[in-house]
Amino acid sequence: MEARSGKKPFRILSLDGGGTFALIQAKVLDDLFPGEDGHQVLSHFDLVSACSGGAIVAAALIEGYSPRQIFELFDNPVNRHALFGRLPWYRSLLQLMTGVFSPSSPVGYRFSTDGKLAFLHRILPVMGSTSLQNLHGILNDSIASLREQRDEPGRPMSFLFVTYDFDRDRARMMRSDVSSPAASFPHRQQRATLAEAAHASSTAPINWFDKPAEFDGCRFWDGAMTGYNNPVLAGVVEAIAMGVPRAISAYCRWARARFFCPNAAARGSRMPCVVRAPAPASCRSWSRWARRSSPILRMRTLSLPTSCSTAACRPTSPVAPLPTPQLCA
């Protein structure tokens, strides 16, 4: 997608859900923006859309953590156990009972919702208790000064967290910009704090947390339940509603698709391979992105057999073609 003459693309950072994938997001951001803190990283983008684990990464960036600090934060077993705080045995009887009959797939919640919120408040001491609406001004003041140092245009930056409103059975976008044309009318004050928004977006149901996130008179489950676990579409719709021409948007995301090799399938097995999209907003070439990211991506990528080339792979199910990302000039 081409940018207009003299203008940079409208840059969207899309942070997916997926639990431990948040660690890989932090590693990739650290690779793209080494040595930069959270606000410096965010200053490279005009919109951040985040869901589930990606919402916690976004909240940590807003707090000011560098990507490396975010990785170290969640790589610490003590912090992981605080985020996923185990319930006492008498609160997880269903899991214990079904585990007797099906040890590999017990049913029932395991983690404390209240414990997760307490952990988020602990790691977000400065911004965690600030409403998203107030954060919009605070964050843009910080980012504007950083962009001024780079002599970049002073475009306002906004962010949104995808949640599932259980009582209304619908997706709910918790925005920093409450006046966004994409927001439901009439526009109302966004009372959710940063910690609450990240909490609402990341409270997975059924086999995970014991109850939904509750505040503002509503109950919320993980935003992945809305179909926006990869929230890039939410970000693109938000940008279009804000009046950004479709021809000047660029996005940075981590896209995954499952493929299988026909030769392997003929032998009765399905060999998955993983396709990654580059980060166009980083202004790096495709080849350099692949070269720099390969140590990280190998954590999830399986080697293909010699009898099957990447070109011979076909998707396991119909996949809509992705728009070609436009690299910055």
Side-chain angles (χ1 to χ4, degrees), residues 176-200:
S176 63
D177 182 9
V178 294
S179 63
S180 167
S184 299
F185 188 84
H187 298 158
R188 67 190 185 95
Q189 183 179 6
Q190 180 60 265
R191 289 189 290 269
T193 66
L194 177 63
E196 288 172 339
H199 181 51

Side-chain angles (χ1 to χ4, degrees), residues 13-33 41 49-58 61 67-68 70-71 229-231 252-254 256 289 296-297:
L13 174 63
S14 178
L15 297 170
D16 298 13
T20 53
F21 291 144
L23 284 170
I24 303 179
Q25 292 172 6
K27 289 286 280 184
V28 170
L29 287 173
D30 182 47
D31 190 55
L32 292 173
F33 308 107
V41 171
S49 57
C51 181
S52 196
I56 299 178
V57 174
L61 290 171
R68 177 159 298 185
I70 296 173
F71 180 86
N229 195 49
N230 178 349
C252 171
R253 65 171 183 154
W254 179 47
R256 293 180 295 118
W289 163 259
I296 300 168
L297 302 187

Side-chain angles (χ1 to χ4, degrees), residues 230-253:
N230 178 349
V232 68
L233 178 60
V236 170
V237 170
E238 187 82 8
I240 293 172
M242 292 164 61
V244 178
R246 302 186 188 193
I248 67 165
S249 61
Y251 53 86
C252 171
R253 65 171 183 154

Side-chain angles (χ1 to χ4, degrees), residues 5 48 56 61 74 76 96 116 122 151 153 157-158 168 171 204 219 227-228 233 254 308 316 318-319 325:
S5 176
V48 177
I56 299 178
L61 290 171
F74 294 108
N76 185 324
L96 295 174
K116 178 163 71 73
R122 179 164 65 82
D151 195 25
M157 199 279 288
S158 59
R168 293 170 177 80
R219 293 176 292 179
Y228 285 107
L233 178 60
W254 179 47
C308 172
T316 57
V319 178

Side-chain angles (χ1 to χ4, degrees), residues 6 24 26 30-31 47-50 54 70 78 83 91 97 108 132 161 163 176 183-184 190 217 222 312 317 326-327:
I24 303 179
D30 182 47
D31 190 55
L47 174 66
V48 177
S49 57
I70 296 173
V78 175
L83 176 63
R91 294 279 308 281
M97 293 172 63
L132 300 187
F161 296 97
T163 67
S176 63
S184 299
Q190 180 60 265
D222 195 296
S317 59
Q326 178 68 29
L327 300 184

Side-chain angles (χ1 to χ4, degrees), residues 8 13 16-17 24 48 50 74 87 109 143 148 172 177 181 190-191 193 200 207 210 218 239 267 284 290 302 309 318:
K8 288 193 174 182
L13 174 63
D16 298 13
I24 303 179
V48 177
F74 294 108
L87 293 167
Y109 42 72
I143 286 175
E148 187 177 352
R172 178 170 166 185
D177 182 9
Q190 180 60 265
R191 289 189 290 269
T193 66
N207 274 9
D210 60 336
C218 300
R267 297 192 300 270
R284 286 189 169 88
L302 298 180
S309 64

Side-chain angles (χ1 to χ4, degrees), residues 265-284:
R267 297 192 300 270
S269 64
R270 294 164 74 86
M271 174 64 71
C273 52
V274 182
V275 177
R276 300 287 185 235
S282 67
C283 304
R284 286 189 169 88

